[in-house]
Amino acid sequence: MLNELFTPSVQHALDIVGIFVFAISGALLAVRKNFDVFGIAVLAEVTALGGGLFRDLIIGAVPPAAFTDLGYFLTPLLAAGLVFFLHPHVERIQVAVNVFDAAGLGLFCVTGTVKAYDYGLGLTASAALGLATAVGGGVLRDVLANETPSLLRWDRDLYAVPAMVGATMIVLCIRFGTINAFTSGTAVIAAFVLRLLAMRFHWRAPRAYKRSSAAAEEGSAAT
Amino acid sequence: MLNELFTPSVQHALDIVGIFVFAISGALLAVRKNFDVFGIAVLAEVTALGGGLFRDLIIGAVPPAAFTDLGYFLTPLLAAGLVFFLHPHVERIQVAVNVFDAAGLGLFCVTGTVKAYDYGLGLTASAALGLATAVGGGVLRDVLANETPSLLRWDRDLYAVPAMVGATMIVLCIRFGTINAFTSGTAVIAAFVLRLLAMRFHWRAPRAYKRSSAAAEEGSAAT
Amino acid sequence: MLNELFTPSVQHALDIVGIFVFAISGALLAVRKNFDVFGIAVLAEVTALGGGLFRDLIIGAVPPAAFTDLGYFLTPLLAAGLVFFLHPHVERIQVAVNVFDAAGLGLFCVTGTVKAYDYGLGLTASAALGLATAVGGGVLRDVLANETPSLLRWDRDLYAVPAMVGATMIVLCIRFGTINAFTSGTAVIAAFVLRLLAMRFHWRAPRAYKRSSAAAEEGSAAT
């Protein structure tokens, strides 16, 4: 079984860490949008669990892990509570939050791809679903907060590409029979480091051909 | 079977009432947004059936009741038709609509929790899904209408808390073996009355610590 | 089996055409919103596959066809690539895009209805789900792009009605036992032609009674 790459307890601990840091990012956006305490909790839950929920619905793993594992459900509430009381401090350590979020991205793209493959999806579909697991929560967060998803915006540092690289590494390892804890860990770290570099050097993806020049200022002003 | 708390026909009648009043609230928002007759019908359907649809997908009850029970599907169309022709009158009786919406909230948080438990979810997850059943349709309504969900906004009267109280009462009754038609009815009424009181006295939930004071006006202005 | 109305290869080819044209419309909106190349790809995928994904989750056909058929997944990426490099030309041939989109609408409302009926839904629910298959991708596209869904707006030409007509024709054919490749093709063409006529003559649906007159300008200005 691929999902025994890591021992169950290690896997579970990694999941909880990823859920926690994604929940922090959801709760912080809720504070910035001036939502009340329930809005903070809802956005924390949705950001942390939305990607995995989508994956589980697609592969038919119902009820999804988010509703069967109490730790998955309570961790975002803990994150929401921390942000509720400490948000000026959390915002000040935004760099740390970003680093953790990058770690969550790396973890989720790998575990999402592995779980999708375990449920019988093809290699390409598994990688796509691993990517969706990693970025889905953030998209739902932005949709609920009535913002244009930062995943789609050109003026944000690369976010999807690191997750795509991690997911692609995993399906290549599966394809060539070299999947194990070491190669999986390497994929997690590759996605994580790529995301850190993208933030550090403000790597961005190109916009549509010929639009990048003249339309840029006009477009961003209109948005 | 927990879902035989009420006789099937009573249960079904209560469901139809809840669906009808939620549909009215969706149709009214569509009129306010200046949508056409199909927009009114779509928003009525989504508001009325969205919460239950989400619950049924999560617990694996497919096809969801919204697509197997013709009454569930046709009731929102009736509500949309009424609002289409009578909306100035319906808006004038907004108080009555709010009372019915509170009744729908009470009913759906209880029936949603019971159905989730019947499908094997744990107590905490059942309560969470009961809450999602009650508030999910309204969130989908606001997302489709491109508004910030009123569930999340601090400047709206308490909406989630009454549903949480109702759902929590149900899982406590299940836990202690005292679930029956009487205690369930009490939970419905508790959520209903709490919501009425929240509207009457404009109870609101707190925002993040230290944000309530200075940032309040600036925040709401920026939104 | 109803889903053998067309030979599998013809059916598949028609699906791919529908997916391709819907993906073009998603990618074009992404360019207009100034999204980057990944935003274009995501919006193309969501627009093309969202309606069918929703249908498959509702009827319990998991994993959905979007994740099991590689052609379904890759076609939107091809469309996104074309729009990325050629978008000024694609916008210039907007008329052609609209014609193809109308064809996609006709195809999807028919195939969606048939698939829903094959999975055991009733006639009314099958028609509703066929409609949702045809228009769902466009709604998801607009929600992700943070726009009011054009399906709901009164100032857009009729879009739902042609799909409703096509889906209704199919369920009537099923009801009266006259479903075959010829009648199905007629339903596709009816929906297609109706949509073309709606665009040509700017047919629009009415808004709520009494709102159409005075509130019109004020309403559209406020939106």
Side-chain angles (χ1 to χ4, degrees):
Chain A
M1 286 289 287
L2 286 179
N3 59 9
E4 289 172 8
L5 285 176
F6 309 106
T7 65
S9 59
V10 171
Q11 170 73 50
H12 195 259
L14 293 175
D15 276 351
I16 293 289
V17 170
I19 285 170
F20 182 78
V21 292
F22 277 157
I24 295 278
S25 96
L28 281 175
L29 179 62
V31 170
R32 252 175 253 142
K33 297 284 286 188
N34 209 19
F35 292 162
D36 68 20
V37 59
F38 299 106
I40 297 170
V42 167
L43 225 52
E45 291 279 357
V46 164
T47 311
L49 303 176
L53 206 61
F54 175 75
R55 178 204 57 211
D56 288 350
L57 288 179
I58 294 292
I59 60 180
V62 290
F67 281 91
T68 54
D69 185 312
L70 207 53
Y72 286 11
F73 177 75
L74 296 178
T75 301
L77 297 183
L78 175 66
L82 284 176
V83 168
F84 185 77
F85 288 108
L86 303 174
H87 77 93
H89 307 285
V90 179
E91 297 216 50
R92 207 168 300 140
I93 55 166
Q94 184 70 49
V95 173
V97 171
N98 283 339
V99 171
F100 279 106
D101 182 81
L105 188 75
L107 284 166
F108 277 29
C109 75
V110 167
T111 58
T113 304
V114 168
K115 185 164 183 182
Y117 185 79
D118 268 345
Y119 273 78
L121 265 64
L123 291 174
T124 310
S126 296
L129 210 45
L131 174 61
T133 306
V135 305
V139 169
L140 278 174
R141 174 196 65 203
D142 295 341
V143 166
L144 279 189
N146 203 14
E147 307 249 305
T148 300
S150 69
L151 178 74
L152 306 177
R153 296 175 57 164
W154 76 273
D155 55 349
R156 297 298 160 93
D157 304 327
L158 284 187
Y159 195 85
V161 172
M164 285 167 70
V165 169
T168 306
M169 285 174 69
I170 290 296
V171 295
L172 288 177
C173 288
I174 293 173
R175 174 70 186 77
F176 294 108
T178 60
I179 184 100
N180 55 44
F182 177 75
T183 52
S184 304
T186 306
V188 171
I189 289 169
F192 172 60
V193 170
L194 266 179
R195 170 63 184 154
L196 291 183
L197 291 172
M199 286 191 289
R200 174 69 186 80
F201 297 107
H202 297 298
W203 288 343
R204 282 172 190 173
R207 281 165 295 158
Y209 190 63
K210 285 181 190 155
R211 179 154 184 99
S212 317
S213 52
E217 299 76 23
E218 176 252 335
S220 57
T223 304
Chain B
M1 285 291 287
L2 286 180
N3 60 9
E4 289 171 8
L5 285 177
F6 310 106
T7 65
S9 58
V10 171
Q11 170 73 49
H12 194 259
L14 293 175
D15 275 352
I16 293 289
V17 171
I19 285 170
F20 182 78
V21 293
F22 276 157
I24 294 278
S25 96
L28 281 176
L29 179 62
V31 171
R32 254 175 251 140
K33 297 284 288 188
N34 209 19
F35 292 162
D36 68 19
V37 59
F38 299 106
I40 296 171
V42 167
L43 225 51
E45 290 279 358
V46 165
T47 311
L49 303 176
L53 205 62
F54 175 75
R55 178 202 58 211
D56 288 350
L57 288 179
I58 294 292
I59 60 179
V62 290
F67 282 92
T68 55
D69 184 314
L70 207 53
Y72 287 11
F73 177 76
L74 296 179
T75 300
L77 297 183
L78 175 65
L82 284 176
V83 169
F84 185 77
F85 288 108
L86 304 173
H87 76 93
H89 307 285
V90 179
E91 297 217 49
R92 207 168 302 141
I93 53 165
Q94 183 70 49
V95 172
V97 172
N98 282 340
V99 171
F100 279 107
D101 182 82
L105 188 74
L107 284 166
F108 277 27
C109 74
V110 167
T111 58
T113 304
V114 168
K115 185 164 184 183
Y117 185 78
D118 268 345
Y119 273 78
L121 265 63
L123 291 174
T124 309
S126 295
L129 210 46
L131 174 61
T133 305
V135 305
V139 169
L140 279 174
R141 173 197 65 204
D142 295 340
V143 165
L144 280 189
N146 203 16
E147 306 249 306
T148 301
S150 69
L151 179 74
L152 306 177
R153 296 175 59 164
W154 74 274
D155 55 349
R156 299 296 161 94
D157 304 327
L158 283 188
Y159 196 86
V161 172
M164 285 167 70
V165 169
T168 306
M169 285 174 69
I170 290 295
V171 295
L172 288 177
C173 288
I174 293 174
R175 175 70 186 76
F176 294 109
T178 60
I179 185 102
N180 56 44
F182 177 75
T183 52
S184 304
T186 307
V188 171
I189 289 169
F192 172 59
V193 170
L194 265 179
R195 171 63 184 154
L196 290 184
L197 291 172
M199 285 191 289
R200 175 68 186 78
F201 297 106
H202 296 299
W203 288 342
R204 281 170 191 176
R207 281 165 294 159
Y209 190 63
K210 286 180 187 156
R211 179 152 185 102
S212 317
S213 52
E217 298 75 23
E218 177 252 334
S220 57
T223 305
Chain C
M1 285 291 289
L2 287 179
N3 59 9
E4 288 172 9
L5 285 177
F6 310 106
T7 65
S9 58
V10 171
Q11 171 73 49
H12 194 259
L14 293 175
D15 276 350
I16 293 288
V17 171
I19 285 170
F20 182 78
V21 291
F22 277 157
I24 295 279
S25 94
L28 281 176
L29 178 62
V31 170
R32 254 176 250 141
K33 297 283 288 187
N34 209 19
F35 293 161
D36 68 19
V37 60
F38 299 106
I40 296 170
V42 167
L43 225 52
E45 292 278 358
V46 164
T47 310
L49 304 176
L53 204 62
F54 176 75
R55 179 202 58 212
D56 288 350
L57 288 179
I58 293 292
I59 60 179
V62 290
F67 281 92
T68 54
D69 185 313
L70 208 53
Y72 286 12
F73 178 76
L74 296 179
T75 300
L77 296 184
L78 175 65
L82 284 176
V83 169
F84 185 78
F85 287 109
L86 304 173
H87 76 93
H89 308 284
V90 179
E91 297 217 50
R92 207 168 301 142
I93 54 166
Q94 184 70 48
V95 172
V97 172
N98 282 340
V99 171
F100 279 107
D101 182 81
L105 188 74
L107 284 166
F108 277 28
C109 74
V110 167
T111 58
T113 303
V114 168
K115 186 164 183 183
Y117 186 78
D118 268 344
Y119 273 77
L121 265 63
L123 291 174
T124 310
S126 295
L129 210 47
L131 174 61
T133 306
V135 305
V139 169
L140 278 174
R141 173 198 64 203
D142 295 341
V143 165
L144 279 189
N146 203 15
E147 306 248 306
T148 300
S150 69
L151 178 73
L152 306 177
R153 297 177 57 165
W154 74 274
D155 55 349
R156 298 297 161 93
D157 304 328
L158 283 187
Y159 196 85
V161 172
M164 284 166 71
V165 169
T168 305
M169 287 174 67
I170 290 295
V171 295
L172 288 177
C173 288
I174 293 174
R175 175 68 187 76
F176 294 108
T178 60
I179 185 102
N180 55 44
F182 176 74
T183 52
S184 305
T186 307
V188 171
I189 289 168
F192 172 61
V193 170
L194 265 179
R195 170 64 183 154
L196 291 184
L197 291 172
M199 286 191 290
R200 176 67 186 79
F201 297 106
H202 297 299
W203 288 343
R204 280 167 194 179
R207 281 164 294 158
Y209 190 63
K210 286 180 188 155
R211 180 154 185 100
S212 317
S213 52
E217 299 75 23
E218 175 251 337
S220 57
T223 305

